[in-house]
Amino acid sequence: TSITSAKIQVNGVHLHYQQTGEGNHAVLLLPGMLGSGQTDFGPQLKSMNKQLFTVVAWDPRGYGKSIPPSRDFPPDFFERDAKDAVDLMQALKFKKFSLLGWSDGGITALIAAAKYPNLIHKLVVWGANASVTQEDVRIYNGIRDVSKWSERVKKPLEEMYGQKYFAATCEAWVDGISHFAENSDGNICQQLLPDIKCPTFIIHGQKDPLVPQAHAEYIHKHIKGSRLLLMPEGKHNLHLRFAEDFNREVENFLR
C-alpha cells in the first residue's frame, strides 16, 4: 500500500502527516524532538500490518513539513502538541485511535491519553519520561551542540531543516525541557498518569543513553494495569534499530 502525504489545517496551523493502510484500527505515530513521520518512523510506515491498521504519522507544529510556524517551547508545549495531535486525528475523521509515542512524542501521548480518554483506544510509549531530574538536564546539555552528534543521526535532520534551524531548535528544546526541572519533583505530567485508563504498553531500551530506566518504571507504576517490556540491547531508537521485534510486539498488543 502506498504512503500518502498531505497537510490539513488544525488549530490555526497547517499540519503535515503521512498515512498508509486501510485497517479499521487507526494508529497515530508521534515523533521525538525535531522529529517527523519521515525521519522517525520509516520502518513502521513501511511494515506495520496495512490490513489491520490505518497508520498516520504526523509532524508536530514547527517540525518536519509542519513549518511555518517555527518551533517554540512555551511551558505548555507538550499540552499544545497533545491537543494538536488529537485534533488532527479528529479532522481526519477518526473517531477513536491508538497512540504510539516515542521520546517527546511519548510524553505528548501520555498527556493526550489522560486528557482525552474517550478518544484513545490503546497507548504505546517508549523513551518517554513524566518528569525531568537534574541528571536529565545534564544529559540534555550533552546533546545541545548538534555539531557533536554522529553523522548518521545528524544528516537526515540537516537535510530536512538546514543547519541553522536544526542547531537553533535543538538549543531551544534543551532550554525548554530543562525548565521542567524547576517544578516540584521536576514534574511534566506525573499527576496525569493515574487518569490514563486505556490499555498501556511501555517499552524501554536498557541501553538508552538519553532516558534512564527509572522513568519507564515510574510510568509503569503509576498507570494502572500497564505492561512494561525491557529490551536489553535497545537504545533510544529501539523502534528503528530493532524494527521487526518492535513492530511485532506492538501489533500483538494493539490487536
Side-chain angles (χ1 to χ4, degrees):
T1 319
S2 63
I3 299 169
T4 59
S5 293
K7 279 188 164 186
I8 188 165
Q9 188 163 350
V10 176
N11 299 328
V13 293
H14 289 91
L15 295 175
H16 177 262
Y17 66 96
Q18 290 167 286
Q19 184 173 327
T20 185
E22 57 268 277
N24 290 331
H25 189 155
V27 175
L28 177 65
L29 308 175
L30 298 95
M33 178 261 278
L34 277 163
S36 65
Q38 183 190 327
T39 53
D40 287 15
F41 295 116
Q44 284 69 47
L45 285 164
K46 182 165 171 257
S47 304
M48 275 184 77
N49 186 318
K50 316 242 165 155
Q51 280 70 51
L52 288 180
F53 304 108
T54 296
V55 181
V56 178
W58 80 310
D59 300 359
R61 62 170 74 200
Y63 285 164
K65 293 177 180 164
S66 296
I67 302 172
S70 292
R71 182 71 184 186
D72 62 349
F73 299 94
D76 67 343
F77 75 90
F78 285 117
E79 278 83 4
R80 181 181 67 184
D81 282 351
K83 183 168 172 31
D84 281 349
V86 164
D87 290 350
L88 166 76
M89 291 300 275
Q90 294 207 287
L92 295 176
K93 304 283 187 274
F94 296 111
K95 291 194 169 52
K96 206 164 180 176
F97 45 92
S98 293
L99 301 174
L100 269 64
W102 176 38
S103 198
D104 267 21
I107 300 171
T108 301
L110 291 168
I111 293 169
K115 288 195 161 182
Y116 309 97
N118 300 336
L119 301 175
I120 311 306
H121 185 40
K122 293 185 177 183
L123 172 66
V124 183
V125 296
W126 65 105
N129 43 304
S131 64
V132 174
T133 66
Q134 288 306 322
E135 165 67 1
D136 295 326
V137 173
R138 191 188 63 73
I139 293 170
Y140 301 148
N141 277 302
I143 62 164
R144 177 186 286 275
D145 179 359
V146 297
S147 70
K148 295 180 179 151
W149 289 24
S150 78
E151 267 316 302
R152 190 177 49 82
V153 178
K154 192 165 61 174
K155 195 164 181 279
L157 292 167
E158 278 187 343
E159 283 170 4
M160 174 165 278
Y161 293 115
Q163 216 285 321
K164 196 176 159 198
Y165 187 92
F166 171 40
T169 306
C170 182
E171 286 200 17
W173 175 83
V174 171
D175 292 337
I177 198 156
S178 296
H179 279 310
F180 290 104
E182 296 158 18
N183 294 346
S184 159
D185 292 333
N187 178 49
I188 302 175
C189 62
Q190 290 170 317
Q191 76 292 355
L192 292 175
L193 299 181
D195 296 342
I196 296 174
K197 303 294 186 228
C198 65
T200 301
F201 186 20
I202 301 137
I203 305 173
H204 189 75
Q206 294 189 276
K207 293 186 175 174
D208 190 331
L210 289 175
V211 179
Q213 190 170 314
H215 284 301
E217 288 167 352
Y218 182 95
I219 294 168
H220 172 48
K221 186 179 165 192
H222 289 87
I223 300 178
K224 203 176 168 181
S226 64
R227 188 177 143 211
L228 174 63
L229 171 69
L230 299 175
M231 293 178 67
E233 294 303 309
K235 293 187 179 174
H236 196 57
N237 65 346
L238 55 86
H239 66 297
L240 302 176
R241 177 84 177 67
F242 300 104
E244 215 171 296
D245 293 347
F246 174 87
N247 288 0
R248 186 182 60 247
E249 288 284 354
V250 167
E251 287 186 6
N252 286 342
F253 170 75
L254 291 175
R255 276 169 200 270

